[in-house]
Amino acid sequence: MSKGTLLYAQSGGVTAVINATASAVIETARARKIKVLAAKNGILGALREELIDTSRLSLAQVRALAHTPGGAFGSCRVKLKSLEADGDKYARLLAVFRAHDVRWFLYNGGNDSADTALKLSQLAEASGYPLTCIGVPKTVDNDLVLTDCCPGFGSAAKYTAVSVAEAALDVAAMAETSTKVFVYEVMGRHAGWLAAAAGLAGKNAAQAPHVILFPEVVYDEATFLAKVKATVASVGYCVVVVSEGLKHANGKFVAESEGSVDAFGHSQLGGVGPLIAATVKDKLGLKVHWTVPDYLQRSARHLASKTDLAHALAVGKAGVEFALKGLNGVMPIIVRTAEKPYRWKIRAEPLRNIANAEKKMPAGFIGKDGYSITAACRRYLEPLVRGEAAMPYAADGLPKHALLKHTMIGKRLPPFKG
Amino acid sequence: MSKGTLLYAQSGGVTAVINATASAVIETARARKIKVLAAKNGILGALREELIDTSRLSLAQVRALAHTPGGAFGSCRVKLKSLEADGDKYARLLAVFRAHDVRWFLYNGGNDSADTALKLSQLAEASGYPLTCIGVPKTVDNDLVLTDCCPGFGSAAKYTAVSVAEAALDVAAMAETSTKVFVYEVMGRHAGWLAAAAGLAGKNAAQAPHVILFPEVVYDEATFLAKVKATVASVGYCVVVVSEGLKHANGKFVAESEGSVDAFGHSQLGGVGPLIAATVKDKLGLKVHWTVPDYLQRSARHLASKTDLAHALAVGKAGVEFALKGLNGVMPIIVRTAEKPYRWKIRAEPLRNIANAEKKMPAGFIGKDGYSITAACRRYLEPLVRGEAAMPYAADGLPKHALLKHTMIGKRLPPFKG
């Protein structure tokens, strides 16, 4: 019987499978008789001492999290600064941890969260408080370094590839008298992983997507339009996939939406799809349609990848195991051990090697034309979208999501004025 | 052994299950030893004598159509005018039918197509050519009269309800520090059926969608904004569903995109979602996100409704049976015979009662506040999205679509100069 509490928190944009990770964390810790609290709305809940008692959830509820998208305990876009600049917040976190005997902190997020977990682990060590901090990976952007991929990405990738394949059949059927060019906008601020995933839909040059606009490749309108024109001439229609992070030669986003930024300092994007569509319409005079799936692509649990779900569960389980072993300041990462058949394992990687870094697409993953993916890219991506992850539907035809009523732990500290 | 050929053609916007109808048409006719041709790109193929020989398809290929979205033989947006105005085209169609011994014509489309099938049936009768014309229903807009619903709608409705439910969980998780208002744009030019379907996602006032903007309810910005503001205050966030057909009091579309029209004379819409989102951002100062699924909602075979698929197969089968019985100028329509449990049957309805009419949402289906659906609406919609329609995925994680190579029938007539 272990002494101490495990605190789990979700951070940043949620995914179709982040709750699967939560599910694995809770179930693994519960099996080891460890009490699990979950911070409400990520690190904010830890700062405010708003802690959810997961022991009130039945095992069935915990397991149902594995097929529920979104973030069941709430997430947030709040990035802590350096130990110096945000010293009061880090101190408060340690105070809350002490007050609730939190010995293990699992922070489920991307590279910003890995940074926060790392700083907390350093602070705890320096202050002599016995705390083990683990960064648990999650991001549809797939931009964490060292891990082969990020939980959440595979499902968004599958959603993207399947949606492009399906919509392309629609466009193909109607092209003679209706839409000639279809533009599909994908997420991905700085790395074209989801844009690349769309490429899985096409097995040859005639199949959609015919043009992928990567954030890694400077947008050149004339070359792009020529490619679209040639595709319509040869195929009869053209499906364009464009990343929200598409940039001009000067480094500016093509869709710099009013220059606003979020709490992490990222530009708020959106709208490059309609912009590219309008360009095609105006310059080529072709009928266009466009789609911006937005949150649909990262919450489509109904179309999750089986591989991705397995990854999400595995990092949750390993996160708890690493924590209980006292592996402070690490992240369970996914290692690809074999290509054919695809095999993978989890190992611990120090957070200092991961925090704040960003994995771009390798140059060898983008075709020479700048608009396609290479065979190497396909080999990398394909296992990640493989397999379907069944989920239960209710009699009314809608998914059976776990909609939890949270029981909060009583506060033991005065409110934080941060 | 019947003499004569059956011609099948797809018309207008395709759906997730129109190929299931095609599949049923071919399989039913084949079982009766009837030769089936399919017009390439709808009525255009019939005019041009571009006819596909479906006997070259294996039974496995024909059955695979039932899980392939889009329009496998091509569709088109071409509406024939009156017998007087387009007399040369109708005459040409009859000439092509004669040349290929076409005795049965099944036209799979919406109310415009029903009109064409009706006119052809009248012309054939007047000219003494033994032709039976059947209008086979299909439209995600669900706006055909007399039939209880339209094949294609149920799957788009399920896609909409599930996507709204999933995205709402994402928004809920992030609302405190990120998006407060999420705007989801649905198709539906003049009838709010798909907008209403989104309402299935929420079982109570706190659940998304919180606001549905129907084309049947005049858009009032001030009332709308007040409702959004109140929802954010009470729920913490607000999910808005808006129909592309949302109108101002003067009858103009809120998103009248450059006033362009398609071949059927419908305004080309799109963009009301981002417009509503911008209004919320500017007037309420709340962070917004928006999605426009566009073609994804009508091609998402991966999320098709089992009921809808059954309807699509049934109208195809009945279409052939009615044709072979010589029921000229009818449409197989779906009749709801019982509510609990839901039961339905197919019967023949004269096309003259269906052509060119448009079914709006009953007033009793929209809540008194103008932003929600009633219990009666829910009772009507729920059976249509019920059940999942499994489809095969390949080992690479993508759907196994039937991608047909068409074998064309040799031409017997000189080209048509229409």
Side-chain angles (χ1 to χ4, degrees):
Chain A
M1 190 79 65
S2 301
K3 189 177 175 311
T5 299
L6 186 148
L7 178 66
Y8 169 80
Q10 302 181 320
S11 177
V14 293
T15 77
V17 297
I18 184 173
N19 286 333
T21 300
S23 167
V25 165
I26 297 169
E27 194 169 342
T28 306
R30 197 178 271 196
R32 307 282 285 270
K33 314 285 185 200
I34 306 284
K35 180 175 166 188
V36 179
L37 301 181
K40 186 182 172 192
N41 294 340
I43 205 72
L44 283 179
L47 286 166
R48 296 169 179 167
E49 204 189 354
E50 292 178 351
L51 307 174
I52 297 159
D53 183 1
T54 72
S55 70
R56 306 295 280 267
L57 303 173
S58 69
L59 190 58
Q61 284 178 308
V62 172
R63 288 183 176 164
L65 286 175
H67 59 251
T68 303
F73 304 106
S75 183
C76 69
R77 292 204 181 278
V78 172
K79 185 182 180 179
L80 295 194
K81 297 182 194 122
S82 67
L83 287 171
E84 296 70 40
D86 266 343
D88 56 337
K89 287 183 180 147
Y90 288 101
R92 165 71 177 188
L93 288 173
L94 277 198
V96 171
F97 290 2
R98 278 180 205 272
H100 294 274
D101 197 22
V102 171
R103 303 296 179 89
W104 307 281
F105 176 53
L106 269 65
Y107 201 25
N108 200 175
N111 37 35
D112 290 319
S113 316
D115 178 65
T116 299
L118 174 63
K119 290 202 169 74
L120 265 175
S121 73
Q122 294 165 338
L123 182 65
E125 250 173 61
S127 66
Y129 178 68
L131 178 72
T132 301
C133 291
I134 305 284
V136 184
K138 166 248 57 164
T139 170
V140 297
D141 291 338
N142 201 38
D143 58 358
L144 291 174
V145 296
L146 296 172
T147 186
D148 182 65
C149 61
C150 303
F153 169 69
S155 294
K158 187 180 185 98
Y159 175 91
T160 302
V162 171
S163 297
V164 167
E166 290 183 330
L169 292 175
D170 186 311
V171 177
M174 307 288 301
E176 180 166 351
T177 56
S178 184
T179 298
K180 289 274 195 300
V181 180
F182 182 63
V183 179
Y184 186 114
E185 179 179 323
V186 293
M187 284 181 163
R189 277 187 199 86
H190 302 301
W193 292 109
L194 279 176
L200 293 174
K203 313 296 186 210
N204 58 56
Q207 285 188 338
H210 307 96
V211 182
I212 303 174
L213 295 172
F214 295 98
E216 288 85 355
V217 179
V218 167
Y219 176 56
D220 181 83
E221 188 182 288
T223 318
F224 163 67
L225 289 173
K227 172 79 177 168
V228 171
K229 199 174 170 184
T231 304
V232 172
S234 63
V235 180
Y237 62 96
C238 181
V239 174
V240 177
V241 170
V242 56
S243 170
E244 60 172 345
L246 184 67
K247 293 186 200 71
H248 290 297
N250 63 6
K252 286 214 169 182
F253 289 118
V254 171
E256 189 94 75
S257 79
E258 302 145 68
S260 61
V261 293
D262 73 9
F264 284 141
H266 304 138
S267 289
Q268 279 299 290
L269 300 179
V272 68
L275 196 149
I276 292 291
T279 304
V280 169
K281 185 181 178 185
D282 295 346
K283 300 290 171 71
L284 298 181
L286 295 170
K287 180 171 174 188
V288 294
H289 254 247
W290 51 267
T291 180
V292 178
D294 195 59
Y295 290 157
L296 273 51
Q297 70 202 281
R298 72 181 198 192
S299 59
R301 176 61 182 82
H302 78 268
L303 190 51
S305 143
K306 187 177 181 181
T307 306
D308 188 38
L309 178 62
H311 289 163
L313 292 166
V315 296
K317 182 166 182 281
V320 173
E321 288 164 353
F322 293 168
L324 297 185
K325 279 184 194 162
L327 295 180
N328 193 25
V330 304
M331 174 178 280
I333 65 164
I334 297 154
V335 180
R336 187 179 299 221
T337 55
E339 197 71 64
K340 275 198 170 188
Y342 170 69
R343 292 200 195 290
W344 56 279
K345 64 175 186 183
I346 302 285
R347 72 165 169 77
E349 177 71 30
L351 285 172
R352 64 174 176 275
N353 299 336
I354 295 170
N356 297 313
E358 197 172 57
K359 182 165 74 177
K360 301 246 178 187
M361 293 250 295
F365 276 18
I366 298 178
K368 285 219 175 73
D369 64 358
Y371 295 131
S372 58
I373 60 171
T374 60
C377 183
R378 192 176 291 273
R379 272 196 304 278
Y380 166 73
L381 290 172
E382 206 180 88
L384 309 184
V385 305
R386 228 177 255 162
E388 293 67 57
M391 44 163 270
Y393 285 83
D396 66 1
L398 272 99
K400 276 190 181 175
H401 291 143
L403 304 176
L404 309 180
K405 290 204 174 181
H406 295 316
T407 306
M408 308 305 289
I409 287 281
K411 294 189 180 185
R412 297 171 185 172
L413 297 174
F416 177 59
K417 310 203 192 305
Chain B
M1 187 80 65
S2 300
K3 191 176 175 306
T5 299
L6 185 149
L7 179 65
Y8 169 80
Q10 302 181 321
S11 178
V14 293
T15 78
V17 296
I18 184 174
N19 286 333
T21 300
S23 167
V25 165
I26 296 170
E27 194 169 343
T28 307
R30 198 179 271 195
R32 307 281 285 269
K33 313 285 185 202
I34 306 283
K35 180 176 167 186
V36 178
L37 301 181
K40 186 181 173 193
N41 294 341
I43 205 73
L44 283 180
L47 286 166
R48 295 169 178 166
E49 205 189 354
E50 292 178 352
L51 306 174
I52 296 159
D53 183 1
T54 72
S55 70
R56 306 294 281 267
L57 303 174
S58 69
L59 189 58
Q61 285 179 307
V62 172
R63 289 182 174 164
L65 286 175
H67 59 251
T68 303
F73 304 107
S75 183
C76 69
R77 291 206 181 278
V78 171
K79 184 181 179 179
L80 296 194
K81 298 182 196 124
S82 67
L83 287 171
E84 296 71 40
D86 267 343
D88 55 337
K89 287 182 180 149
Y90 289 100
R92 165 71 176 188
L93 288 174
L94 278 198
V96 171
F97 290 2
R98 278 181 204 272
H100 294 274
D101 197 24
V102 172
R103 302 296 179 89
W104 307 281
F105 176 53
L106 269 66
Y107 201 25
N108 199 175
N111 37 34
D112 290 320
S113 316
D115 178 67
T116 300
L118 174 63
K119 290 201 169 75
L120 265 174
S121 73
Q122 294 165 336
L123 183 66
E125 250 174 60
S127 66
Y129 177 69
L131 178 72
T132 302
C133 291
I134 306 284
V136 184
K138 165 247 57 162
T139 169
V140 296
D141 292 336
N142 202 38
D143 59 357
L144 291 175
V145 296
L146 297 173
T147 187
D148 181 65
C149 61
C150 303
F153 169 70
S155 294
K158 187 181 184 97
Y159 174 91
T160 302
V162 172
S163 297
V164 166
E166 290 183 328
L169 291 175
D170 186 310
V171 176
M174 308 288 302
E176 180 165 350
T177 57
S178 184
T179 298
K180 289 274 194 297
V181 180
F182 182 63
V183 179
Y184 186 114
E185 178 180 323
V186 293
M187 285 180 162
R189 276 187 201 85
H190 302 299
W193 292 109
L194 279 175
L200 293 174
K203 313 294 186 211
N204 58 56
Q207 285 188 338
H210 308 97
V211 182
I212 304 175
L213 296 172
F214 295 98
E216 288 85 356
V217 180
V218 167
Y219 176 57
D220 181 83
E221 187 182 288
T223 319
F224 163 68
L225 289 173
K227 171 79 177 167
V228 171
K229 199 174 171 184
T231 304
V232 172
S234 63
V235 180
Y237 61 95
C238 181
V239 174
V240 177
V241 169
V242 56
S243 170
E244 61 172 344
L246 184 68
K247 293 185 199 72
H248 290 296
N250 63 6
K252 286 213 168 182
F253 289 118
V254 172
E256 188 91 75
S257 78
E258 302 146 67
S260 60
V261 293
D262 74 8
F264 284 142
H266 305 136
S267 288
Q268 278 299 288
L269 299 180
V272 69
L275 195 149
I276 292 292
T279 304
V280 170
K281 185 180 178 184
D282 295 346
K283 300 288 171 72
L284 299 181
L286 296 170
K287 180 172 174 187
V288 295
H289 254 249
W290 51 268
T291 180
V292 178
D294 195 60
Y295 290 157
L296 272 53
Q297 71 202 280
R298 72 180 199 193
S299 59
R301 176 59 183 83
H302 77 268
L303 192 50
S305 144
K306 188 177 180 180
T307 305
D308 189 38
L309 178 62
H311 288 163
L313 291 166
V315 295
K317 182 166 181 281
V320 173
E321 289 164 352
F322 293 168
L324 297 185
K325 280 185 194 160
L327 295 180
N328 194 25
V330 304
M331 175 179 279
I333 66 164
I334 296 154
V335 180
R336 188 180 299 221
T337 55
E339 196 72 63
K340 274 195 170 191
Y342 170 69
R343 294 201 193 288
W344 56 279
K345 65 174 187 183
I346 301 286
R347 72 164 170 78
E349 176 71 31
L351 286 171
R352 65 174 175 276
N353 299 338
I354 296 171
N356 297 314
E358 197 172 57
K359 182 165 74 177
K360 300 246 179 190
M361 292 251 294
F365 276 18
I366 298 178
K368 286 220 174 73
D369 63 357
Y371 296 131
S372 58
I373 59 171
T374 60
C377 183
R378 193 177 290 273
R379 273 197 304 278
Y380 166 74
L381 289 173
E382 207 180 87
L384 310 185
V385 306
R386 228 177 254 163
E388 293 67 56
M391 43 163 272
Y393 286 82
D396 67 359
L398 272 100
K400 275 190 181 175
H401 291 144
L403 304 176
L404 310 180
K405 290 206 172 176
H406 295 316
T407 305
M408 308 304 291
I409 288 281
K411 294 189 179 184
R412 296 171 187 173
L413 296 176
F416 177 58
K417 309 202 192 307

